[in-house]
Amino acid sequence: YNSVIKRLESDFYCLSITYPNFSEELKVKVGTDFNTLIDLIALTIKKVQNSAGKKFKITVIGHDYGAFFTYLLDFRHRDLI
């Protein structure tokens, strides 16, 4: 998805989140449940909003497993999307 982000980042602020165990950069493999993962994604979004100094709606694009996580995020944190 890096090529998609490259095309969008001139017009949008793009945040790419790597899930646990999906990155070669992560040295220690960890496990978590879906609810915790979705809450961590929501927390990340809120931190970005706080650093910008305002709350704003976002558009979430999920690829592969991310599509399922995006659905759960919308269901649990509709105020963010």
Short mmCIF file of all heavy atoms in Angstrom, two decimals, residues 26-76:
data_model
loop_
_atom_site.label_atom_id
_atom_site.label_comp_id
_atom_site.label_asym_id
_atom_site.label_seq_id
_atom_site.Cartn_x
_atom_site.Cartn_y
_atom_site.Cartn_z
N LEU A 26 9.45 -5.55 13.86
CA LEU A 26 9.11 -5.88 15.24
C LEU A 26 9.94 -7.09 15.67
O LEU A 26 9.82 -8.17 15.11
CB LEU A 26 7.62 -6.20 15.35
CG LEU A 26 7.06 -6.46 16.73
CD1 LEU A 26 7.22 -5.21 17.61
CD2 LEU A 26 5.60 -6.85 16.65
N LYS A 27 10.78 -6.88 16.68
CA LYS A 27 11.68 -7.94 17.14
C LYS A 27 10.98 -8.94 18.06
O LYS A 27 11.29 -10.10 18.06
CB LYS A 27 12.89 -7.33 17.87
CG LYS A 27 13.68 -6.36 17.03
CD LYS A 27 14.39 -7.05 15.91
CE LYS A 27 15.25 -6.06 15.15
NZ LYS A 27 15.58 -6.45 13.85
N VAL A 28 10.05 -8.45 18.87
CA VAL A 28 9.35 -9.31 19.81
C VAL A 28 7.93 -9.49 19.31
O VAL A 28 7.20 -8.53 19.13
CB VAL A 28 9.33 -8.69 21.22
CG1 VAL A 28 8.55 -9.56 22.18
CG2 VAL A 28 10.75 -8.44 21.72
N LYS A 29 7.56 -10.71 19.05
CA LYS A 29 6.21 -10.99 18.58
C LYS A 29 5.25 -10.96 19.76
O LYS A 29 5.55 -11.49 20.83
CB LYS A 29 6.14 -12.36 17.89
CG LYS A 29 7.05 -12.46 16.67
CD LYS A 29 6.63 -11.49 15.59
CE LYS A 29 7.49 -11.65 14.36
NZ LYS A 29 7.18 -10.72 13.33
N VAL A 30 4.11 -10.31 19.58
CA VAL A 30 3.12 -10.19 20.64
C VAL A 30 1.77 -10.65 20.13
O VAL A 30 1.54 -10.70 18.93
CB VAL A 30 3.02 -8.73 21.15
CG1 VAL A 30 4.32 -8.29 21.76
CG2 VAL A 30 2.61 -7.78 20.03
N GLY A 31 0.90 -10.96 21.04
CA GLY A 31 -0.45 -11.35 20.67
C GLY A 31 -1.45 -10.43 21.35
O GLY A 31 -1.15 -9.83 22.38
N THR A 32 -2.61 -10.28 20.76
CA THR A 32 -3.66 -9.47 21.35
C THR A 32 -5.00 -9.93 20.79
O THR A 32 -5.05 -10.64 19.80
CB THR A 32 -3.43 -7.97 21.07
OG1 THR A 32 -4.36 -7.21 21.82
CG2 THR A 32 -3.55 -7.63 19.60
N ASP A 33 -6.06 -9.51 21.44
CA ASP A 33 -7.38 -9.86 20.93
C ASP A 33 -7.91 -8.72 20.07
O ASP A 33 -7.37 -7.62 20.06
CB ASP A 33 -8.35 -10.18 22.09
CG ASP A 33 -8.50 -9.00 23.03
OD1 ASP A 33 -9.14 -8.01 22.63
OD2 ASP A 33 -7.98 -9.08 24.16
N PHE A 34 -8.98 -8.99 19.32
CA PHE A 34 -9.51 -7.98 18.40
C PHE A 34 -9.93 -6.71 19.11
O PHE A 34 -9.65 -5.61 18.63
CB PHE A 34 -10.69 -8.54 17.61
CG PHE A 34 -10.30 -9.54 16.56
CD1 PHE A 34 -11.09 -10.66 16.34
CD2 PHE A 34 -9.17 -9.37 15.79
CE1 PHE A 34 -10.75 -11.58 15.36
CE2 PHE A 34 -8.82 -10.28 14.81
CZ PHE A 34 -9.61 -11.39 14.60
N ASN A 35 -10.62 -6.82 20.23
CA ASN A 35 -11.10 -5.62 20.93
C ASN A 35 -9.94 -4.73 21.36
O ASN A 35 -10.00 -3.51 21.21
CB ASN A 35 -11.95 -6.00 22.14
CG ASN A 35 -13.29 -6.59 21.73
OD1 ASN A 35 -13.81 -6.28 20.67
ND2 ASN A 35 -13.83 -7.45 22.57
N THR A 36 -8.89 -5.33 21.89
CA THR A 36 -7.72 -4.55 22.30
C THR A 36 -7.07 -3.89 21.09
O THR A 36 -6.70 -2.72 21.14
CB THR A 36 -6.70 -5.45 23.03
OG1 THR A 36 -7.33 -6.03 24.17
CG2 THR A 36 -5.48 -4.67 23.46
N LEU A 37 -6.94 -4.63 20.01
CA LEU A 37 -6.33 -4.08 18.80
C LEU A 37 -7.13 -2.90 18.27
O LEU A 37 -6.57 -1.85 17.93
CB LEU A 37 -6.22 -5.17 17.73
CG LEU A 37 -5.57 -4.76 16.42
CD1 LEU A 37 -4.15 -4.28 16.65
CD2 LEU A 37 -5.59 -5.92 15.45
N ILE A 38 -8.44 -3.02 18.23
CA ILE A 38 -9.29 -1.94 17.74
C ILE A 38 -9.19 -0.72 18.65
O ILE A 38 -9.11 0.42 18.18
CB ILE A 38 -10.76 -2.41 17.62
CG1 ILE A 38 -10.86 -3.56 16.62
CG2 ILE A 38 -11.68 -1.27 17.23
CD1 ILE A 38 -10.22 -3.32 15.27
N ASP A 39 -9.15 -0.93 19.95
CA ASP A 39 -8.99 0.19 20.89
C ASP A 39 -7.63 0.86 20.72
O ASP A 39 -7.52 2.09 20.84
CB ASP A 39 -9.19 -0.28 22.33
CG ASP A 39 -10.63 -0.64 22.63
OD1 ASP A 39 -11.54 -0.22 21.87
OD2 ASP A 39 -10.87 -1.34 23.64
N LEU A 40 -6.59 0.09 20.42
CA LEU A 40 -5.27 0.68 20.19
C LEU A 40 -5.26 1.51 18.91
O LEU A 40 -4.63 2.57 18.85
CB LEU A 40 -4.21 -0.42 20.12
CG LEU A 40 -3.86 -1.09 21.44
CD1 LEU A 40 -2.96 -2.31 21.19
CD2 LEU A 40 -3.19 -0.11 22.38
N ILE A 41 -5.95 1.05 17.88
CA ILE A 41 -6.05 1.84 16.64
C ILE A 41 -6.79 3.15 16.93
O ILE A 41 -6.37 4.22 16.49
CB ILE A 41 -6.76 1.03 15.53
CG1 ILE A 41 -5.91 -0.16 15.13
CG2 ILE A 41 -7.07 1.92 14.33
CD1 ILE A 41 -6.63 -1.16 14.23
N ALA A 42 -7.89 3.07 17.69
CA ALA A 42 -8.65 4.28 18.04
C ALA A 42 -7.78 5.24 18.85
O ALA A 42 -7.81 6.46 18.62
CB ALA A 42 -9.91 3.90 18.81
N LEU A 43 -7.01 4.70 19.77
CA LEU A 43 -6.12 5.54 20.57
C LEU A 43 -5.08 6.24 19.69
O LEU A 43 -4.78 7.42 19.87
CB LEU A 43 -5.43 4.69 21.64
CG LEU A 43 -4.47 5.42 22.57
CD1 LEU A 43 -5.22 6.49 23.37
CD2 LEU A 43 -3.80 4.43 23.50
N THR A 44 -4.55 5.52 18.71
CA THR A 44 -3.60 6.12 17.77
C THR A 44 -4.23 7.27 17.00
O THR A 44 -3.64 8.33 16.85
CB THR A 44 -3.07 5.04 16.79
OG1 THR A 44 -2.43 4.01 17.54
CG2 THR A 44 -2.09 5.64 15.79
N ILE A 45 -5.45 7.07 16.53
CA ILE A 45 -6.16 8.12 15.80
C ILE A 45 -6.37 9.34 16.70
O ILE A 45 -6.15 10.48 16.30
CB ILE A 45 -7.50 7.59 15.27
CG1 ILE A 45 -7.25 6.56 14.17
CG2 ILE A 45 -8.38 8.74 14.75
CD1 ILE A 45 -8.48 5.76 13.78
N LYS A 46 -6.79 9.11 17.94
CA LYS A 46 -7.01 10.22 18.89
C LYS A 46 -5.71 10.97 19.17
O LYS A 46 -5.72 12.20 19.28
CB LYS A 46 -7.63 9.70 20.17
CG LYS A 46 -9.07 9.25 19.99
CD LYS A 46 -9.62 8.62 21.26
CE LYS A 46 -11.02 8.09 21.01
NZ LYS A 46 -11.57 7.40 22.18
N LYS A 47 -4.60 10.26 19.27
CA LYS A 47 -3.30 10.92 19.50
C LYS A 47 -2.93 11.82 18.32
O LYS A 47 -2.42 12.91 18.50
CB LYS A 47 -2.21 9.89 19.76
CG LYS A 47 -2.28 9.28 21.13
CD LYS A 47 -1.13 8.32 21.36
CE LYS A 47 -1.18 7.75 22.77
NZ LYS A 47 -0.04 6.87 23.05
N VAL A 48 -3.20 11.34 17.10
CA VAL A 48 -2.93 12.16 15.92
C VAL A 48 -3.82 13.40 15.93
O VAL A 48 -3.36 14.52 15.67
CB VAL A 48 -3.14 11.34 14.62
CG1 VAL A 48 -3.12 12.24 13.39
CG2 VAL A 48 -2.08 10.26 14.51
N GLN A 49 -5.09 13.23 16.27
CA GLN A 49 -5.99 14.37 16.34
C GLN A 49 -5.54 15.35 17.41
O GLN A 49 -5.56 16.57 17.20
CB GLN A 49 -7.42 13.90 16.63
CG GLN A 49 -8.05 13.20 15.46
CD GLN A 49 -9.42 12.65 15.77
OE1 GLN A 49 -9.70 12.29 16.92
NE2 GLN A 49 -10.27 12.57 14.77
N ASN A 50 -5.13 14.86 18.57
CA ASN A 50 -4.67 15.74 19.64
C ASN A 50 -3.41 16.50 19.24
O ASN A 50 -3.27 17.68 19.57
CB ASN A 50 -4.41 14.94 20.92
CG ASN A 50 -5.68 14.48 21.58
OD1 ASN A 50 -6.76 15.02 21.34
ND2 ASN A 50 -5.58 13.45 22.39
N SER A 51 -2.50 15.85 18.53
CA SER A 51 -1.29 16.54 18.10
C SER A 51 -1.60 17.62 17.07
O SER A 51 -0.86 18.60 16.96
CB SER A 51 -0.26 15.55 17.56
OG SER A 51 -0.68 15.01 16.33
N ALA A 52 -2.70 17.45 16.34
CA ALA A 52 -3.11 18.46 15.36
C ALA A 52 -3.86 19.61 16.04
O ALA A 52 -4.08 20.65 15.44
CB ALA A 52 -3.99 17.84 14.29
N GLY A 53 -4.27 19.39 17.29
CA GLY A 53 -4.96 20.44 18.03
C GLY A 53 -6.45 20.53 17.75
O GLY A 53 -7.10 21.46 18.16
N LYS A 54 -6.98 19.55 17.03
CA LYS A 54 -8.42 19.55 16.76
C LYS A 54 -8.89 18.14 16.46
O LYS A 54 -8.12 17.28 16.04
CB LYS A 54 -8.76 20.47 15.59
CG LYS A 54 -8.15 20.06 14.27
CD LYS A 54 -8.51 21.01 13.17
CE LYS A 54 -7.84 20.59 11.87
NZ LYS A 54 -8.19 21.45 10.79
N LYS A 55 -10.17 17.91 16.69
CA LYS A 55 -10.77 16.62 16.36
C LYS A 55 -11.33 16.72 14.95
O LYS A 55 -11.98 17.70 14.61
CB LYS A 55 -11.87 16.28 17.36
CG LYS A 55 -12.48 14.94 17.12
CD LYS A 55 -13.52 14.61 18.17
CE LYS A 55 -14.14 13.27 17.84
NZ LYS A 55 -15.17 12.89 18.80
N PHE A 56 -11.07 15.75 14.15
CA PHE A 56 -11.59 15.74 12.78
C PHE A 56 -12.00 14.33 12.41
O PHE A 56 -11.47 13.36 12.92
CB PHE A 56 -10.57 16.29 11.79
CG PHE A 56 -9.19 15.71 11.96
CD1 PHE A 56 -8.82 14.56 11.32
CD2 PHE A 56 -8.26 16.36 12.77
CE1 PHE A 56 -7.55 14.03 11.47
CE2 PHE A 56 -6.98 15.83 12.92
CZ PHE A 56 -6.62 14.67 12.27
N LYS A 57 -12.96 14.24 11.53
CA LYS A 57 -13.39 12.93 11.04
C LYS A 57 -12.32 12.39 10.09
O LYS A 57 -11.62 13.14 9.43
CB LYS A 57 -14.71 13.05 10.29
CG LYS A 57 -15.88 13.40 11.19
CD LYS A 57 -16.38 12.18 11.89
CE LYS A 57 -17.62 12.54 12.69
NZ LYS A 57 -18.31 11.37 13.19
N ILE A 58 -12.23 11.09 10.03
CA ILE A 58 -11.23 10.48 9.17
C ILE A 58 -11.89 9.48 8.22
O ILE A 58 -13.01 9.05 8.44
CB ILE A 58 -10.15 9.75 10.00
CG1 ILE A 58 -10.78 8.60 10.79
CG2 ILE A 58 -9.43 10.70 10.91
CD1 ILE A 58 -9.76 7.62 11.31
N THR A 59 -11.17 9.15 7.19
CA THR A 59 -11.55 8.09 6.29
C THR A 59 -10.56 6.95 6.51
O THR A 59 -9.36 7.17 6.47
CB THR A 59 -11.50 8.54 4.82
OG1 THR A 59 -12.39 9.63 4.66
CG2 THR A 59 -11.86 7.42 3.88
N VAL A 60 -11.07 5.77 6.76
CA VAL A 60 -10.22 4.62 7.01
C VAL A 60 -10.27 3.70 5.81
O VAL A 60 -11.35 3.35 5.33
CB VAL A 60 -10.67 3.85 8.28
CG1 VAL A 60 -9.81 2.63 8.50
CG2 VAL A 60 -10.64 4.77 9.48
N ILE A 61 -9.11 3.31 5.33
CA ILE A 61 -9.01 2.36 4.24
C ILE A 61 -8.29 1.14 4.79
O ILE A 61 -7.16 1.24 5.27
CB ILE A 61 -8.23 2.94 3.04
CG1 ILE A 61 -8.93 4.19 2.53
CG2 ILE A 61 -8.07 1.89 1.95
CD1 ILE A 61 -8.13 4.96 1.49
N GLY A 62 -8.94 0.00 4.75
CA GLY A 62 -8.34 -1.22 5.26
C GLY A 62 -8.11 -2.21 4.14
O GLY A 62 -8.99 -2.43 3.31
N HIS A 63 -6.95 -2.80 4.10
CA HIS A 63 -6.59 -3.77 3.07
C HIS A 63 -6.42 -5.14 3.71
O HIS A 63 -5.82 -5.26 4.78
CB HIS A 63 -5.30 -3.33 2.38
CG HIS A 63 -4.73 -4.36 1.47
ND1 HIS A 63 -5.33 -4.71 0.29
CD2 HIS A 63 -3.62 -5.12 1.57
CE1 HIS A 63 -4.60 -5.64 -0.30
NE2 HIS A 63 -3.56 -5.91 0.45
N ASP A 64 -6.94 -6.16 3.08
CA ASP A 64 -6.80 -7.54 3.53
C ASP A 64 -7.42 -7.67 4.93
O ASP A 64 -8.59 -7.34 5.11
CB ASP A 64 -5.33 -7.95 3.50
CG ASP A 64 -5.14 -9.45 3.40
OD1 ASP A 64 -6.14 -10.20 3.43
OD2 ASP A 64 -3.98 -9.90 3.31
N TYR A 65 -6.67 -8.10 5.93
CA TYR A 65 -7.21 -8.18 7.29
C TYR A 65 -7.64 -6.80 7.79
O TYR A 65 -8.53 -6.68 8.61
CB TYR A 65 -6.19 -8.76 8.27
CG TYR A 65 -6.12 -10.25 8.27
CD1 TYR A 65 -5.01 -10.90 7.74
CD2 TYR A 65 -7.15 -11.01 8.79
CE1 TYR A 65 -4.93 -12.28 7.74
CE2 TYR A 65 -7.08 -12.40 8.79
CZ TYR A 65 -5.97 -13.02 8.26
OH TYR A 65 -5.89 -14.38 8.27
N GLY A 66 -7.01 -5.77 7.30
CA GLY A 66 -7.34 -4.41 7.71
C GLY A 66 -8.79 -4.05 7.40
O GLY A 66 -9.39 -3.23 8.09
N ALA A 67 -9.37 -4.65 6.37
CA ALA A 67 -10.78 -4.38 6.06
C ALA A 67 -11.68 -4.84 7.20
O ALA A 67 -12.62 -4.15 7.60
CB ALA A 67 -11.18 -5.08 4.76
N PHE A 68 -11.38 -6.00 7.76
CA PHE A 68 -12.14 -6.50 8.91
C PHE A 68 -11.94 -5.60 10.12
O PHE A 68 -12.90 -5.24 10.82
CB PHE A 68 -11.71 -7.94 9.23
CG PHE A 68 -12.39 -8.51 10.45
CD1 PHE A 68 -13.75 -8.77 10.44
CD2 PHE A 68 -11.66 -8.77 11.59
CE1 PHE A 68 -14.37 -9.31 11.56
CE2 PHE A 68 -12.28 -9.30 12.71
CZ PHE A 68 -13.63 -9.57 12.70
N PHE A 69 -10.70 -5.18 10.37
CA PHE A 69 -10.42 -4.29 11.49
C PHE A 69 -11.10 -2.93 11.30
O PHE A 69 -11.56 -2.32 12.26
CB PHE A 69 -8.91 -4.10 11.69
CG PHE A 69 -8.18 -5.38 12.00
CD1 PHE A 69 -6.92 -5.61 11.49
CD2 PHE A 69 -8.76 -6.36 12.80
CE1 PHE A 69 -6.25 -6.79 11.79
CE2 PHE A 69 -8.09 -7.54 13.10
CZ PHE A 69 -6.82 -7.75 12.59
N THR A 70 -11.17 -2.47 10.06
CA THR A 70 -11.84 -1.21 9.77
C THR A 70 -13.33 -1.31 10.10
O THR A 70 -13.91 -0.39 10.68
CB THR A 70 -11.65 -0.84 8.28
OG1 THR A 70 -10.25 -0.68 8.03
CG2 THR A 70 -12.38 0.43 7.92
N TYR A 71 -13.93 -2.43 9.77
CA TYR A 71 -15.34 -2.65 10.11
C TYR A 71 -15.53 -2.60 11.63
O TYR A 71 -16.45 -1.95 12.13
CB TYR A 71 -15.83 -3.98 9.54
CG TYR A 71 -17.17 -4.41 10.09
CD1 TYR A 71 -18.34 -3.82 9.61
CD2 TYR A 71 -17.27 -5.37 11.08
CE1 TYR A 71 -19.58 -4.19 10.12
CE2 TYR A 71 -18.50 -5.75 11.59
CZ TYR A 71 -19.65 -5.15 11.11
OH TYR A 71 -20.86 -5.51 11.61
N LEU A 72 -14.68 -3.29 12.37
CA LEU A 72 -14.78 -3.29 13.83
C LEU A 72 -14.54 -1.90 14.41
O LEU A 72 -15.20 -1.48 15.36
CB LEU A 72 -13.78 -4.29 14.43
CG LEU A 72 -14.06 -5.76 14.16
CD1 LEU A 72 -12.94 -6.61 14.73
CD2 LEU A 72 -15.39 -6.19 14.74
N LEU A 73 -13.60 -1.17 13.82
CA LEU A 73 -13.33 0.20 14.29
C LEU A 73 -14.57 1.08 14.10
O LEU A 73 -14.95 1.82 15.00
CB LEU A 73 -12.14 0.79 13.53
CG LEU A 73 -11.73 2.20 13.90
CD1 LEU A 73 -11.17 2.25 15.31
CD2 LEU A 73 -10.72 2.74 12.90
N ASP A 74 -15.19 0.97 12.95
CA ASP A 74 -16.41 1.73 12.69
C ASP A 74 -17.52 1.34 13.67
O ASP A 74 -18.24 2.20 14.17
CB ASP A 74 -16.87 1.50 11.25
CG ASP A 74 -18.13 2.28 10.92
OD1 ASP A 74 -18.19 3.48 11.23
OD2 ASP A 74 -19.05 1.68 10.35
N PHE A 75 -17.64 0.08 13.96
CA PHE A 75 -18.68 -0.40 14.87
C PHE A 75 -18.44 0.08 16.31
O PHE A 75 -19.37 0.50 16.98
CB PHE A 75 -18.73 -1.93 14.83
CG PHE A 75 -19.80 -2.53 15.70
CD1 PHE A 75 -21.13 -2.48 15.30
CD2 PHE A 75 -19.48 -3.14 16.90
CE1 PHE A 75 -22.12 -3.02 16.10
CE2 PHE A 75 -20.46 -3.69 17.71
CZ PHE A 75 -21.78 -3.63 17.30
N ARG A 76 -17.19 0.04 16.75
CA ARG A 76 -16.88 0.37 18.15
C ARG A 76 -16.58 1.85 18.39
O ARG A 76 -16.73 2.34 19.51
CB ARG A 76 -15.70 -0.46 18.64
CG ARG A 76 -16.04 -1.92 18.78
CD ARG A 76 -14.89 -2.66 19.35
NE ARG A 76 -14.45 -2.00 20.58
CZ ARG A 76 -14.17 -2.60 21.71
NH1 ARG A 76 -14.26 -3.87 21.78
NH2 ARG A 76 -13.77 -1.92 22.74
#
